[in-house]
Amino acid sequence: EGYTATPKAAPSIASQGEHWRVRTDRVDADGKVTLRHAGRLRHLGIGRAHKHKRIIVLVREADVTAVEHGTGEILAEFTIDPTRGYQPKKQNTPGPKTGGVNDVPTHP
């Protein structure tokens, strides 16, 4: 009886209907990345300062975060506007001044 009365460990389940995606990509020479959302191709403006960087794109519904692959630094955040093809980044996105997640340099 004691065993059946105690709560059991179980994975947390995302709320019904949420759509999550994780994607790796490379920023093009113009500082943009393309993403298909709601059946249309969207162009995310990461910034020319980040051209040719490898990034991880985290997508949850209409919220998108672009993270640098090596450091974990957040490069840009977006909320997809379904009426526009080009998506500018949010104004409060931290810039290159942040050091990223890893403080230890990468080993060769």
Side-chain angles (χ1 to χ4, degrees):
E1 288 180 28
Y3 176 77
T4 57
T6 58
K8 307 299 182 270
S12 62
I13 299 172
S15 61
Q16 197 72 330
E18 281 191 1
H19 179 72
W20 287 83
R21 284 193 293 167
V22 177
R23 213 184 107 198
T24 58
D25 206 341
R26 189 174 295 271
V27 181
D28 69 7
D30 293 326
K32 297 183 188 96
V33 174
T34 56
L35 173 73
R36 186 165 299 279
H37 187 270
R40 288 188 53 208
L41 204 58
R42 313 292 176 172
H43 304 279
L44 309 177
I46 306 292
R48 285 191 182 179
H50 306 293
K51 67 181 180 179
H52 305 299
K53 283 187 180 179
R54 291 178 55 211
I55 63 169
I56 299 170
V57 180
L58 307 169
V59 182
R60 187 185 134 249
E61 296 293 332
D63 296 321
V64 179
T65 304
V67 180
E68 187 173 355
H69 190 270
T71 64
E73 174 187 353
I74 296 175
L75 300 178
E77 294 176 324
F78 305 89
T79 300
I80 301 294
D81 179 0
T83 63
R84 300 176 65 172
Y86 175 77
Q87 307 293 322
K89 62 183 170 181
K90 290 182 181 176
Q91 295 301 320
N92 60 355
T93 300
K97 63 187 172 292
T98 60
V101 176
N102 298 329
D103 295 330
V104 180
T106 309
H107 296 284

